[in-house]
Amino acid sequence: MPELPEVEVVRRGLETHVVGARILGAEVLHARPVRRDPLGPEGFAQAVAGRTVTAVRRRGKYFWLALDDTDAILGHLGMSGQMLVKTPGAPLERHLRVRFPLDSGADLRFVDQRMFGGLSYAPGGAVLPSEIAHIGRDPLDAEFDAEAVARRMRQRSSAVKRQLLDQTLVSGVGNIYADEALWRARLHGERPGDRLTRAQALDVIEQARAVMLQALDQGGTSFDALYVNVNGESGYFDRSLHAYGREDEPCDRCGAAIRRVAFMNRSSYFCPTCQPVPRRRRT
DNA sequence: ACCGGGACCTGGAAGC
DNA sequence: TGCTTCCAGGTCCCGG
């Protein structure tokens, strides 16, 4: 569910509400969300208890709470994860997985219906957890190198959409913003990377950056109550989408009906006129 | 190293 | 009213 803009909204909320607070303990209600933690549920709870949150950082779709400027709690929201700041007496969510009472009097909660997301203790990970060292920088990172990403894209034969979703190449882009970036760049997602011009590759990367920045200004994209900020509120960038989720609706540029096709076990939306299907490579 | 496909989960909505 | 099928914003891992 959440892509870079939605995770950044959550990061900002955590920064406002949690930095400076001490974690009194962790109640792990389901083991799966901490499956990546080698310490296991009890070890995780023990490692974070008594620690003070000194910063909240993000790269791509991952976020982490720095603990005492040295270690971290690394998190990913997967398809349905939420980080909520509640009062301890608030009713427990149906899919509440981990609960952190804080000395500020608030209750930090990780809620995740499908449990593709998770939390783990990252020793030494305050600045950048080693667990995500393989993830590429995201387009909002000051040190993001669009030229280098474009170069790599053009060296590979795999489809440009698959490459946009490859978190080791560029992080933060998911299915919604990949389709939106491709629509803006007038490129079909199945175009092989090595058949893009340098200008086209740079353009689609720039469109991804721009659309994610605009979505962030609107509080992210929400279709339902599954994606919410730390206060449980939805974003409203869904009103500004041009391709994603708009099957059979007219293209905002040319009026042709937006099409939906299955691609990579998911859906891709595109304008058949503005984003023509690439011709098959000559063998 | 890259490539494509399936697995991992739960539950809401649509179809019969 | 049921039951079944499809669909969902992500990643990881496998064999080729």
Side-chain angles (χ1 to χ4, degrees), chain A residues 55-125:
Chain A
V56 186
R57 304 198 167 94
R58 181 191 58 72
R59 174 172 287 186
K61 304 171 198 171
Y62 286 90
F63 63 91
W64 60 99
L65 311 183
L67 305 177
D68 304 313
D69 297 324
T70 54
D71 310 315
I73 296 172
L74 177 63
H76 195 291
L77 301 177
M79 291 284 266
S80 54
Q82 305 174 353
M83 288 292 274
L84 303 175
V85 178
K86 297 279 190 166
T87 55
L92 300 185
E93 293 75 9
R94 181 169 175 196
H95 302 294
L96 177 62
R97 307 304 186 192
V98 185
R99 182 181 188 188
F100 305 91
L102 307 178
D103 72 344
S104 60
D107 211 23
L108 177 62
R109 299 179 180 181
F110 180 69
V111 176
D112 190 3
Q113 178 199 106
R114 293 174 70 186
M115 297 188 291
F116 288 166
L119 301 175
S120 61
Y121 179 63

Side-chain angles (χ1 to χ4, degrees), chain A residues 17-201:
Chain A
H17 293 94
V18 176
V19 167
R22 200 161 66 90
I23 298 170
L24 300 177
E27 189 183 348
V28 180
L29 292 100
H30 199 298
R32 183 166 169 81
V34 294
R35 66 193 177 284
R36 302 256 159 226
D37 197 315
L39 303 174
E42 297 82 12
F44 171 80
Q46 198 169 1
V48 306
R51 311 294 301 274
T52 298
V53 179
T54 51
V56 186
R57 304 198 167 94
R58 181 191 58 72
R59 174 172 287 186
K61 304 171 198 171
Y62 286 90
F63 63 91
W64 60 99
L65 311 183
L67 305 177
D68 304 313
D69 297 324
T70 54
D71 310 315
I73 296 172
L74 177 63
H76 195 291
L77 301 177
M79 291 284 266
S80 54
Q82 305 174 353
M83 288 292 274
L84 303 175
V85 178
K86 297 279 190 166
T87 55
L92 300 185
E93 293 75 9
R94 181 169 175 196
H95 302 294
L96 177 62
R97 307 304 186 192
V98 185
R99 182 181 188 188
F100 305 91
L102 307 178
D103 72 344
S104 60
D107 211 23
L108 177 62
R109 299 179 180 181
F110 180 69
V111 176
D112 190 3
Q113 178 199 106
R114 293 174 70 186
M115 297 188 291
F116 288 166
L119 301 175
S120 61
Y121 179 63
V127 174
L128 182 68
S130 58
E131 291 84 347
I132 58 166
H134 65 291
I135 299 294
R137 290 185 188 273
D138 63 64
L140 301 193
D141 188 317
E143 294 182 51
F144 177 72
D145 187 347
E147 292 279 356
V149 172
R151 215 177 304 126
R152 280 190 63 193
M153 262 189 181
R154 298 184 61 219
Q155 287 169 352
R156 304 204 264 182
S157 63
S158 65
V160 58
K161 178 163 180 181
R162 175 175 274 270
Q163 299 210 53
L164 288 171
L165 296 176
D166 178 352
Q167 304 296 299
T168 66
L169 179 62
V170 49
S171 66
V173 182
N175 205 33
I176 295 178
Y177 299 114
D179 278 2
E180 293 301 304
L182 290 162
W183 182 87
R184 290 177 180 225
R186 296 173 158 87
L187 285 176
H188 193 283
E190 288 173 41
R191 177 87 76 95
D194 59 8
R195 292 181 64 182
L196 294 175
T197 65
R198 175 174 170 278
Q200 287 174 323

Side-chain angles (χ1 to χ4, degrees), chain A residues 251-264:
Chain A
C251 171
D252 292 329
R253 223 166 16 213
C254 76
I258 296 290
R259 289 195 50 203
R260 178 170 82 91
V261 295
F263 180 60
M264 290 175 65

Side-chain angles (χ1 to χ4, degrees), chain A residues 235-254:
Chain A
Y236 43 95
F237 190 70
D238 60 306
R239 298 170 199 168
S240 307
L241 297 176
H242 293 291
Y244 187 87
R246 299 195 61 234
E247 183 177 22
D248 295 336
E249 292 177 42
C251 171
D252 292 329
R253 223 166 16 213
C254 76

